[in-house]
Amino acid sequence: MPSEFELIARHFVRPVGPRTRLGVGDDCAILAPEPGQELLVSTDMLVCGTHFLADDDPAGLGWKTAAVNLSDIAAMGGTPRWITLALALPTIDEAWVAALADGFAACCARYDVDWVGGDTTRGPLTLSATVFGEAPRGTAIRRDGAGAGDDIWISGRPGLAALGLAQRLGQLELAADWRATCLQALARPEPRVQLGLALRGVATAMQDVSDGLAGDLGHILARSGCGAQLDEASLPLGPALAACDSAACARRALLQGGDDYELVFTAPASARARLDALAGELALPLHRIGRCVEERGLWLVQHDGAQAPLTPRGFDHFGAEADTGGAAPA
């Protein structure tokens, strides 16, 4: 069995670019941020049985561990630059570790991110990454900039990852021609880095959808001091509905499911043409799903025009959902 340091040397030492003066090997990495940039930092932890299942593919798990962290940088309109990985292992299965490391490195390479360090120890299977990004001074997109009259947008096909998880847990049987798509959305999310960069100076507030659209939009509303109305007719339910063949199931997956790592953002009505064009430029659907209002709260405007209150709550690690024993959003 390899030692901790042999394990690191074999699998965690990867090439770095010129913006990293020193990577793995010393007590610290040495990074070289660009002049005029502000540093963005985020940490996410993935715990076996809470965020992923014990039999998950290790390469996919490595990819996802990197991706969910890069998504936090994307959610602020930043460019991800560096990442570290801390890994707790109950035992060493070197083939499993090698696949995990390869998946993590593949995601880093895809988004031109240097893997510059981390740690390993014995313990319950846990992965914790810290990502560092850059944004020109004053351009990072925060959660506190939304205002009454702003449109609310969501990217991609939210809800598919939640359906993939339900399939993994045996809670439903997805349509055969959508099953692989939903499982891929769950296992290998794509952080919306290019979208985040393109939304600098356009979006007034933004965050990624990790714990459910309603809950994560609720964070924007709380920080911005406003409310929102979502249009039931504008929700992008088509893919989720095709996958599960139930309107209630599709709406629940979209609004509460999480694990999508799409971006929910607000923007002035004057930006609609620009955002419609941007969707084509990025080959990424962008859906206008509602508007911000002065009165605090979150409502769903139904097809008949009636308003129903929505609880802006997603997954809570210490709430009732945390006691289900299933995997949950990171």
Side-chain angles (χ1 to χ4, degrees):
M1 180 180 294
S3 70
E4 173 188 358
F5 302 104
E6 290 170 335
L7 196 72
I8 292 171
R10 289 179 191 175
H11 304 295
F12 298 166
V13 178
R14 304 282 172 151
V16 295
R19 59 178 172 263
T20 300
R21 300 284 172 78
L22 181 66
V24 177
D26 279 50
D27 288 309
C28 296
I30 302 176
L31 314 179
E34 292 290 328
Q37 301 284 312
E38 293 181 323
L39 197 62
L40 312 178
V41 184
S42 180
T43 298
D44 265 313
M45 182 182 299
L46 282 75
V47 179
C48 184
T50 300
H51 306 100
F52 62 92
L53 304 175
D55 61 350
D56 277 355
D57 167 58
L61 180 58
W63 174 284
K64 186 170 185 175
T65 302
V68 302
N69 280 268
L70 304 190
S71 180
D72 285 334
I73 302 297
M76 298 194 73
T79 303
R81 295 297 194 194
W82 306 277
I83 196 167
T84 66
L85 174 64
L87 179 62
L89 297 166
T91 60
I92 292 179
D93 177 340
E94 191 167 4
W96 189 94
V97 171
L100 177 90
D102 286 345
F104 189 87
C107 187
C108 292
R110 169 78 173 272
Y111 294 95
D112 192 25
V113 174
D114 287 350
W115 182 3
V116 297
D119 192 20
T120 57
T121 189
R122 182 186 296 274
L125 183 55
T126 304
L127 302 90
S128 181
T130 298
V131 65
F132 304 81
E134 294 177 319
R137 187 172 292 116
T139 66
I141 305 170
R142 296 163 39 155
R143 297 179 182 178
D144 59 1
D150 281 353
D151 292 329
I152 301 168
W153 297 75
I154 181 73
S155 66
R157 298 188 293 181
L160 297 189
L163 294 177
L165 176 59
Q167 172 78 36
R168 287 290 320 273
L169 296 176
Q171 296 171 347
L172 56 76
E173 187 68 22
L174 297 174
D177 53 346
W178 279 92
R179 192 173 304 136
T181 300
C182 293
L183 292 173
Q184 177 79 357
L186 173 68
R188 290 181 177 261
E190 295 282 351
R192 301 303 187 187
V193 174
Q194 289 304 116
L195 175 60
L197 294 174
L199 289 175
R200 286 181 188 163
V202 179
T204 53
M206 184 161 66
Q207 83 158 76
D208 67 340
V209 179
S210 59
D211 296 329
L213 172 58
D216 288 327
L217 175 58
H219 298 318
I220 289 177
L221 302 180
R223 292 292 302 274
S224 297
C226 62
Q229 297 171 335
L230 298 182
D231 296 323
E232 185 174 31
S234 300
L235 295 178
L237 291 173
L241 181 58
C244 68
D245 196 29
S246 163
C249 174
R251 190 170 73 174
R252 185 167 57 251
L254 187 148
L255 291 175
Q256 300 174 340
D259 233 9
D260 290 307
Y261 302 98
E262 297 292 352
L263 297 183
V264 57
F265 61 94
T266 59
S270 59
R272 290 177 185 176
R274 173 71 189 106
L275 291 168
D276 287 339
L278 180 61
E281 293 167 16
L282 298 180
L284 175 67
L286 298 178
H287 312 278
R288 181 162 52 91
I289 59 172
R291 68 202 61 81
C292 295
V293 296
E294 289 187 6
E295 184 181 356
R296 295 202 182 200
L298 180 60
W299 295 270
L300 184 67
V301 181
Q302 299 170 328
H303 292 283
D304 61 3
Q307 289 193 135
L310 281 175
T311 301
R313 180 182 179 186
F315 181 80
D316 179 351
H317 288 279
F318 298 98
E321 296 92 336
D323 296 327
T324 62

